[in-house]
Amino acid sequence: MAVAVLVLLAAVLLLSAGWHITQGTSSVGLRDLLDLVLGNDTDINSTTRNVLFGSRIPRLAAAITVGFALGVAGALFQSLSRNAIASPETLGVTAGAYFAVALVAAFGLTVPYWASGSIAFIGGLAAAALVLAMAGGAGASTTRLVLAGSAVAMALQSASSALLILFEENTTGLFAWGSGSLNQLNSDAFRRAAPVVVLATVIGLLNSRRLDLLGLGDDTASVMGVPVRSTRTIGTLLAVMLTASAVTLAGPIGFAGLLAPVLARLAAHAVAPALLRHALLIPAAGLVGSLVVVLTDVLMRGLIGADEAIKVPTGVTTTLFGCIAIIALARRSRDAGPTRRPPGAAVATRSRLRFWIVVGISVSAVVAIAVVGLLAGHNWLQTGDIALWLDGNASRAITLSLNERAPRVFAALLAGAALALSGSLVQASCRNPLAEPGLLGITGGAGLAAVIGITQFNVGVNGLVAMAVVGSLVAFAVVYALAWKGGLQTDRLVLIGIGTWYGATALSTYFLVRSNPWDTPRIYTWLSGTTYGRNWDDLVPVAVVLLLSIPLVAAVRRDLDLLALDDDAPRLAGIRLERVRLIVLAVGAVLAATSVVAVGVVGFVGLVAPHAARALVGGRHSRVVPVAVLLGAVLLGVADTIGRIVIAPAQLPAGLVVAMLGTPYFVFLLSRSRTSAG
């Protein structure tokens, strides 16, 4: 039966390939192709031959090869980690490979194909090693593994975005390619990638028995003579090699490596249990991966037309399907437990004197970064210039500089404070030290709504605020509703939030690549988190929401303390748990949404600031919240200042700086929570 399933998959793939090859932007259709196949078209320079061999066959070959490689890679990653959500994307491998390729392109280095494949392999392998080390090994819980992979992917994507912005001339075309593009100039890339994919697959099949035994557990496999460490090493190297080949050929095709093995295993459970044996599972996952990519490309062309579909990266569509898979798997998952208790909750109670000293230092730091932010830039100013500007007696040059800098500085400070407060609320509600508004899909929803407002409706500031708030609340409502299953399970909430974040990012890319090309750099920079071009009106929404939220949070500070412990403590204290949690998360969503309007999409601030606050002043929210708000302002203020001066006169978006600064701290937090959990 299992062999019959493989034959059926191959037949369906063949039919899908036939359908795929009849589609395209030219007028060549099925009848022309049949004439060529039947020998009725003998002109070697005919339009049909040129279209077929110059465009359609290379695109189809790339789709099949990339899908097969990612399907096999995903099957290997899931088997090695015994984790249904492991994939090249959730392990950061795709982002690492893409960053390595972008790095080479940014510096204008010309390398042969085999070298570019090796570069992608090194980048992907380094990312996978980092994620596995952060999560605590291949046997880590689903939540830990996905959180670690998502954080590393976010940081690497931010670094790649920085390269695209800083080296725009050398990286032209990498943005669309970076979301996965099957467009091929010829079949050369396919001919170079195919042998690598075949070789890696064959080696994987030769190790299939070891993989079968590894699924029984490391101890059992070791007793039965399986060299566990070398098997994991070989499997990981093969999976990264396959992913690197796919990225080199067509860019990052998102989540095909997640969908394919999941669908193959579902088929095994439904009709052919023998398909779970790796000798059959590996080719099955590869065939399903090819089907996913080919059918995605075909359906996109059928829905919006070939002319429009060619503008949309294939990876956007596969990512959307992958998000659905993550959400479906998350709803079936059980709470993993190790990440539920915030490390700060275990910190000894700090003295009141220490709290006030930290507050005093933090306030001084906010004032200092505000002053430095006003002084810093392509042309540095002096403190006396600020005094003259405030009195209205400054020169025209100084006035222009400070009129441009001041709104940016205070936008960063206010947005940083709002994100930190939002992060404090999210972490308390989810009881997850690694959660933050971005990883719960809140900022992604706000960013998507804002992109739609800019690209589709050309809305102004007020309309942008409204759409961002609505987008964040809709994303929050979707995540909350999907996470509810006889109660709110915090690990499930985080996983579904991550899936929603990936989906929102993919849709933002979709609207971006279909927008006016002249607007793309501006919107892309804004999506990376920037204060560029801000004015005082942009600050009003976040300032108002922040001022309204702080008294509300102060009123429920004791509820937050109980909420951060467990579900029983609030109920025993007479607190309506779900009502308080819903209100708190809704306030966090609105705070994140207004910050998006002020500075674009910025991650990690809502993660880092609350943790640093807990480490400094203990776990009581009456102390954590004010310190976190101040530290969030300092963090984003520092990032904005660094972004404006580090490569002056060019500028680096603050969100990218925060991501690169926040990732090392995230690594520390994840390793710390693993230690405390163990």
Side-chain angles (χ1 to χ4, degrees):
M1 188 63 173
V3 175
V5 172
L6 289 179
V7 173
L8 178 62
L9 287 173
V12 174
L13 177 59
L14 184 61
L15 292 174
S16 301
W19 183 15
H20 185 283
I21 209 169
T22 63
Q23 294 188 338
T25 56
S26 70
S27 59
V28 174
L30 178 60
R31 179 174 296 179
D32 299 310
L33 296 175
L34 288 175
D35 287 341
L36 183 63
V37 172
L38 296 174
N40 297 329
D41 185 351
T42 57
D43 184 2
I44 61 173
N45 294 317
S46 68
T47 301
T48 302
R49 286 178 180 272
N50 291 335
V51 168
L52 187 64
F53 293 103
S55 174
R56 295 190 186 177
I57 285 181
R59 185 182 182 93
L60 175 61
I64 293 174
T65 305
V66 167
F68 194 92
L70 293 176
V72 174
L76 291 173
F77 277 133
Q78 290 179 14
S79 297
L80 293 170
S81 63
R82 294 191 288 275
N83 191 319
I85 302 186
S87 72
E89 291 74 28
T90 56
L91 290 178
V93 177
T94 302
Y98 175 57
F99 170 71
V101 173
L103 186 65
V104 171
F107 289 98
L109 302 177
T110 302
V111 295
Y113 178 84
W114 64 267
S116 63
S118 300
I119 291 166
F121 172 77
I122 293 171
L125 185 62
L130 177 60
V131 169
L132 291 173
M134 289 168 58
S141 71
T142 295
T143 306
R144 294 183 61 82
L145 197 64
V146 175
L147 277 168
S150 298
V152 170
M154 187 186 300
L156 289 171
Q157 288 165 3
S158 297
S160 300
S161 298
L163 293 174
L164 265 62
I165 292 170
L166 296 178
F167 301 93
E168 185 177 352
E169 292 184 2
N170 292 341
T171 58
T172 301
L174 275 184
F175 175 71
W177 182 84
S179 298
S181 175
L182 294 174
N183 295 332
Q184 302 289 313
L185 296 176
N186 50 50
S187 299
D188 292 347
F190 159 74
R191 285 195 292 268
R192 297 186 185 107
V196 177
V197 174
V198 171
L199 177 62
T201 303
V202 169
I203 297 175
L205 289 172
L206 293 175
N207 285 272
S208 58
R209 183 178 177 277
R210 290 185 178 184
L211 294 171
D212 289 338
L213 295 175
L214 199 63
L216 301 175
D218 289 358
D219 294 337
T220 303
S222 181
V223 169
M224 298 184 72
V226 175
V228 174
R229 180 171 295 181
S230 64
T231 300
R232 289 192 185 281
T233 301
I234 292 171
T236 301
L237 290 174
L238 292 175
V240 174
M241 184 187 301
L242 288 163
T243 305
S245 298
V247 170
T248 306
L249 179 57
I253 302 291
F255 289 99
L258 172 67
L259 283 168
V262 167
L263 293 175
R265 285 190 169 91
L266 288 175
H269 288 300
V271 297
L275 203 63
L276 292 174
R277 293 166 49 197
H278 284 82
L280 299 173
L281 178 63
I282 287 175
L287 290 171
V288 173
S290 295
L291 269 173
V292 167
V293 177
V294 170
L295 288 177
T296 295
D297 201 30
V298 167
L299 292 174
M300 179 60 70
R301 292 183 178 196
L303 288 173
I304 64 176
D307 290 327
E308 290 297 318
I310 201 170
K311 304 175 186 176
V312 181
T314 306
V316 169
T317 313
T318 56
T319 297
L320 291 176
F321 290 139
C323 298
I324 296 172
I326 288 180
I327 292 171
L329 291 169
R331 283 182 56 81
R332 298 172 54 190
S333 68
R334 296 181 179 179
D335 206 355
T339 58
R340 290 166 57 183
R341 183 177 177 86
V347 174
T349 302
R350 308 298 187 184
S351 67
R352 183 181 295 272
L353 177 61
R354 180 188 177 102
F355 167 68
W356 286 112
I357 290 175
V358 171
V359 169
I361 294 174
S362 300
V363 170
S364 301
V366 171
V367 174
I369 194 59
V371 173
V372 173
L374 291 173
L375 298 177
H378 180 47
N379 296 314
W380 281 74
L381 303 178
Q382 299 179 350
T383 52
D385 296 328
I386 298 177
L388 292 173
W389 174 67
L390 292 173
D391 290 337
N393 296 321
S395 66
R396 185 173 182 274
I398 293 174
T399 299
L400 290 175
S401 294
L402 289 174
N403 284 346
E404 187 269 340
R405 293 178 190 176
R408 300 186 61 176
V409 170
F410 287 99
L413 296 177
L414 289 171
L419 286 169
L421 181 54
S422 178
S424 300
L425 299 178
V426 167
Q427 289 178 13
S429 301
C430 296
R431 293 195 304 277
N432 193 315
L434 307 174
E436 62 112 25
L439 293 180
L440 286 186
I442 295 173
T443 52
L448 171 60
V451 168
I452 292 174
I454 294 173
T455 60
Q456 306 299 309
F457 304 107
N458 196 27
V459 298
V461 174
N462 293 333
L464 196 62
V465 172
M467 293 196 70
V469 171
V470 169
S472 69
L473 292 177
V474 168
F476 162 68
V478 169
V479 171
Y480 198 92
L482 291 173
W484 183 272
K485 190 178 180 183
L488 188 66
Q489 192 182 89
T490 55
D491 276 10
R492 187 189 301 133
L493 180 71
V494 172
L495 290 174
I496 291 175
I498 290 173
T500 304
W501 168 58
Y502 277 119
T505 302
L507 287 173
S508 297
T509 302
Y510 170 78
F511 284 108
L512 183 58
V513 298
R514 287 172 59 88
S515 66
N516 184 342
W518 297 105
D519 292 334
T520 298
R522 175 176 63 89
I523 301 172
Y524 184 55
T525 301
W526 179 80
L527 282 174
S528 301
T530 182
T531 60
Y532 182 77
R534 294 298 177 266
N535 56 54
W536 295 110
D537 291 339
D538 298 326
L539 278 60
V540 174
V542 66
V544 170
V545 171
L546 193 59
L547 290 174
L548 293 176
S549 299
I550 290 176
L552 175 62
V553 174
V556 299
R557 62 189 183 279
R558 292 186 178 84
D559 296 349
L560 291 174
D561 291 339
L562 294 173
L563 205 63
L565 295 176
D566 53 42
D567 285 352
D568 295 329
R571 292 192 178 100
L572 292 174
I575 297 173
R576 299 179 64 179
L577 175 64
E578 298 305 337
R579 179 180 177 182
V580 172
R581 180 179 278 156
L582 180 62
I583 292 173
V584 166
L585 287 175
V587 172
V590 175
L591 284 163
T594 52
S595 74
V596 168
V597 176
V599 296
V601 180
V602 175
F604 284 104
V605 174
L607 170 72
V608 172
H611 272 286
R614 277 195 291 270
L616 290 170
V617 299
R620 292 171 54 186
H621 284 82
S622 59
R623 298 181 180 180
V624 168
V625 168
V627 173
V629 167
L630 292 170
L631 293 180
V634 170
L635 178 57
L636 194 52
V638 168
D640 178 60
T641 302
I642 292 175
R644 288 191 287 116
I645 65 175
V646 69
I647 54 170
Q651 299 185 26
L652 196 62
L656 303 185
V657 178
V658 168
M660 288 183 280
L661 293 176
T663 299
Y665 192 76
F666 182 90
V667 173
F668 164 73
L669 290 176
L670 201 55
S671 62
R672 182 184 175 194
S673 67
R674 182 179 72 244
T675 302
S676 62

